[in-house]
């Protein structure tokens, strides 16, 4: 049962991160297409957002390891 819980935790974290990254990058591309002069500002904000979203799978892996060790 612990293995299933760990797999679900990692799978949902990866799914959430994939969707989040897709939305962030897509909206950044739209913003750059509308205002090319703000490219560097938008990219900086995008990279910060992607870094925050990528923390989710890391937390999911930590939770999975905690569940497996019980």
């Amino acid at each position: 049962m612990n293995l299933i819980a760990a797999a679900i935790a990692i799978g949902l974290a990866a799914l959430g991160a994939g969707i989040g990254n897709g939305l962030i990058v897509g909206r950044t591309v739209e913003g750059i297409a509308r205002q090319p002069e703000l490219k560097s500002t938008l990219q900086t904000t995008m990279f910060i957002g992607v870094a925050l979203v990528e923390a989710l799978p890391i937390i999911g892996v930590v939770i999975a390891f905690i569940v497996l060790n019980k």
Side-chain angles (χ1 to χ4, degrees), residues 49 53 65 67:
V53 169
F65 282 137
V67 168

Side-chain angles (χ1 to χ4, degrees), residues 4-63:
I4 294 171
I8 290 172
I10 293 174
L12 289 177
L15 179 68
I19 292 170
N21 283 337
L23 290 173
I24 290 171
V25 173
R27 300 296 164 101
T28 302
V29 170
E30 286 178 14
I32 292 172
R34 291 179 187 203
Q35 294 183 339
E37 66 274 4
L38 294 178
K39 179 182 177 185
S40 62
T41 305
L42 290 172
Q43 279 185 337
T44 302
T45 305
M46 179 196 70
F47 287 133
I48 292 170
V50 167
L52 291 173
V53 169
E54 285 298 322
L56 179 69
I58 295 170
I59 293 169
V61 169
V62 169
I63 291 172

